[in-house]
Amino acid sequence: MIAFREIVLKVHSRCDLACDHCYVYEHADQSWRARPKVISPEVVTRTASRLAEHARDHALPSVTVILHGGEPLLAGADRLRLVCEEFTRALAGTAELNLRIHTNGLRLDRRLLGLFDEFGVRIGISLDGDRAANDRHRRFADGRSSHSLVLKSVELLRSEPYRHLYQGLLCTVDTANDPVAVLDALVALDPPRVDFLLPHATWQAPPARPDGAPDAYARWLLRVFDHWDRQGRPVAVRLFESLLSTLRGGPSLTESLGLAPTDLVVVETDGTLEQVDSLKTAYDGAAYTGFDVFTHSFDQVAAHPGVRARQLGLAGVSEQCRRCPVVRSCGGGLYTHRYRAGSGFDNPSVYCADLQELIAGVEGRTTSETVAPALTDEGELGAAQQDLTRMLLARLHTELTGDPDWDPAWAQLTAVEQAGEAGADALDRVLGHPYTRTWVLAALDAARERRPDRRAAAG
């Protein structure tokens, strides 16, 4: 069973901007209307306790908690302090806690920055580029621009002693904006990272394509890539770095691309446990699980069919995607973007043509960079082989969980790995032996052959 290493905690369900591309307020699911505006102390405490329990049960070395909304800063300094204190207390001695916040930045001030500095909360700010680009969507309800206020907050965040909290900028793509001007505006703010996000859309509600072309977003992003590359890649751009990684045979670095399983759960202000938040774009109730932090564990959420559907890797994408030569880079696109009434999520992304052209464009521009390091470096090859063995061993554990012969062996393996540096090194040597992977593959085959017998016994 998958372990959640990341939770999105909705600390406030309203916002002080009226962005017309917001998936929370402007798309199919309107459940925010019935939820409390601010998270209660009871939900905070219970969620922290559930996460600590989950981290202990799965021996997680670290977990990430992302404070989100609506606009999370609307929760106020006192409630945000409570959140930081409760999670720090609950995870102490169990797992390293990484706290983050995604905000529009409007209310960021020295008091809040002092609080975030105290608890090491890293800050990502939404900004769509220069003033013309940002004002296209990110305005107040009365139409006023938010751009200058966000810039002031970013400048404060960039200053000492807060600079180390600056995580990066999140930019939603609009092909009506000038891609070069957008990148220049973002780079000028010296972010550690920039995330370019495709606007949430589905086959039922397709993305805007003013010129009618099926590859408009690819062409826009490739213009950004070319400008970024000519400038010497002055900042990390997660989308491009993820593509470069997967084209070399490495992992995806973003949820929106690649075949890696999801390991994220959302906690709403009322304690409801939901699937990934972007599903609200698909249809009303798409993210619903029926669980909450007061009566259900995170393991119960992990067993939900909607969550499990996103753990299947290549087997979890549509047949058309499985036949596609770029599937290991795009992963079928963001799960939400595959939705179509009648066939659910068993479709290519509504951005399929864009993703194919974007991947081909990046590959063509960087052929010399896309040779897997494992092909040229013996150390990289050994590490890649060990990662593969670990992945197969985890799959075997999924197959055999509950088997009285297997569970004690898995417990012993976990104990060895947690027994300090010496234990981890010993396990690495075992996993690095070529016969280990051969044994795991044979055990997987045997477990799959036994599966009908186990079902019959369970019945």
Side-chain angles (χ1 to χ4, degrees):
M1 181 180 296
I2 188 173
F4 293 117
R5 290 170 172 79
E6 186 169 290
I7 71 167
V8 172
L9 185 69
K10 298 299 193 78
V11 296
H12 205 283
S13 64
R14 305 298 190 269
C15 192
D16 44 4
L17 286 180
C19 307
D20 60 15
H21 56 15
C22 180
Y23 65 86
V24 175
Y25 305 111
E26 301 296 331
H27 285 273
D29 190 311
Q30 293 291 297
S31 57
W32 63 272
R33 297 178 183 275
R35 292 203 166 97
K37 289 184 178 180
V38 65
I39 195 169
S40 69
E42 293 77 17
V43 171
V44 173
T45 300
R46 190 59 174 163
T47 305
S49 175
R50 288 290 189 193
L51 183 59
E53 169 189 71
H54 191 68
R56 282 194 297 271
D57 289 348
H58 292 272
L60 300 179
S62 65
V63 291
T64 297
V65 177
I66 302 173
L67 311 184
H68 213 279
E71 171 46 50
L73 296 186
L74 287 173
D78 291 342
R79 189 56 49 89
L80 291 171
R81 173 173 287 279
L82 173 67
V83 170
C84 294
E85 289 176 343
E86 285 295 293
F87 278 87
T88 299
R89 178 192 57 76
L91 273 299
T94 298
E96 179 185 353
L97 173 63
N98 300 311
L99 286 166
R100 301 178 187 173
I101 190 166
H102 287 176
T103 172
N104 61 32
L106 294 178
R107 295 172 180 264
L108 199 61
D109 57 21
R110 292 187 182 276
R111 181 187 180 193
L112 285 169
L113 284 169
L115 169 65
F116 297 154
D117 186 28
E118 181 180 347
F119 289 94
V121 182
R122 300 192 65 199
I123 303 164
I125 294 183
S126 296
L127 184 69
D128 289 349
D130 58 355
R131 178 164 183 153
N134 201 67
D135 286 355
R136 196 177 297 279
H137 301 286
R138 303 186 59 79
R139 290 178 170 270
F140 289 97
D142 61 6
R144 287 180 298 124
S145 169
S146 65
H147 188 254
S148 62
L149 295 174
V150 178
L151 289 190
K152 287 181 181 178
S153 294
V154 174
E155 288 303 318
L156 180 59
L157 177 58
R158 290 175 60 194
S159 66
E160 294 298 338
Y162 312 119
R163 168 75 196 187
H164 66 288
L165 301 176
Y166 190 12
Q167 185 177 13
L169 301 173
L170 295 87
C171 172
T172 299
V173 174
D174 188 324
T175 58
N177 294 328
D178 180 344
V180 171
V182 166
L183 181 64
D184 285 344
L186 298 176
V187 169
L189 298 176
D190 193 23
R193 174 181 290 116
V194 170
D195 279 353
F196 285 107
L197 310 174
L198 291 170
H200 288 315
T202 68
W203 290 102
Q204 298 306 115
R209 296 188 183 276
D211 63 0
D215 61 349
Y217 290 89
R219 287 185 284 110
W220 194 93
L221 285 165
L222 286 171
R223 287 186 62 193
V224 175
F225 182 92
D226 290 339
H227 189 52
W228 175 70
D229 199 42
R230 283 193 300 268
Q231 288 183 323
R233 305 182 184 182
V235 299
V237 176
R238 192 196 301 267
L239 176 63
F240 300 151
E241 294 191 339
S242 181
L243 288 176
L244 292 170
S245 173
T246 56
L247 287 169
R248 292 194 301 263
S252 172
L253 307 178
T254 172
E255 178 198 6
S256 61
L257 298 171
L259 294 167
T262 182
D263 59 357
L264 178 149
V265 64
V266 177
V267 183
E268 294 284 354
T269 54
D270 59 359
T272 298
L273 290 161
E274 293 202 332
Q275 301 175 63
V276 62
D277 219 24
S278 63
L279 283 171
K280 296 180 188 299
T281 306
Y283 58 88
D284 189 21
Y288 181 75
T289 66
F291 301 138
D292 65 74
V293 295
F294 294 104
T295 52
H296 303 96
S297 69
F298 285 143
D299 275 356
Q300 288 174 282
V301 184
H304 185 276
V307 175
R308 292 181 68 88
R310 304 184 65 205
Q311 316 306 315
L312 300 176
L314 188 62
V317 300
S318 69
E319 182 180 353
Q320 180 179 336
C321 290
R322 289 196 294 272
R323 296 196 306 264
C324 179
V326 302
V327 66
R328 295 193 179 276
S329 285
C330 87
L334 187 70
Y335 190 76
T336 298
H337 297 169
R338 307 174 199 172
Y339 179 72
R340 188 196 297 266
S343 53
F345 299 94
D346 189 25
N347 308 286
S349 168
V350 72
Y351 290 104
C352 179
D354 291 293
L355 292 172
Q356 288 189 60
E357 183 165 332
L358 176 62
I359 293 165
V362 170
E363 184 175 27
R365 288 161 167 80
T366 59
T367 302
S368 63
E369 297 177 44
T370 55
V371 175
L375 297 179
T376 58
D377 185 296
E378 186 175 336
E380 290 283 353
L381 176 60
Q385 290 174 333
Q386 189 179 115
D387 286 345
L388 175 60
T389 302
R390 283 181 176 274
M391 182 179 69
L392 292 169
L393 192 60
R395 181 70 60 86
L396 179 61
H397 178 57
T398 300
E399 293 283 344
L400 294 180
T401 296
D403 187 309
D405 293 327
W406 171 259
D407 287 348
W410 182 260
Q412 181 64 37
L413 184 148
T414 302
V416 170
E417 186 168 33
Q418 294 175 345
E421 187 175 343
D425 288 346
L427 183 60
D428 284 346
R429 286 195 295 274
V430 172
L431 294 178
H433 195 286
Y435 289 168
T436 301
R437 188 160 69 254
T438 301
W439 176 85
V440 173
L441 287 168
L444 266 172
D445 288 341
R448 287 165 180 158
E449 288 175 3
R450 289 172 52 201
R451 194 181 298 161
D453 296 335
R454 294 180 69 191
R455 287 191 187 135

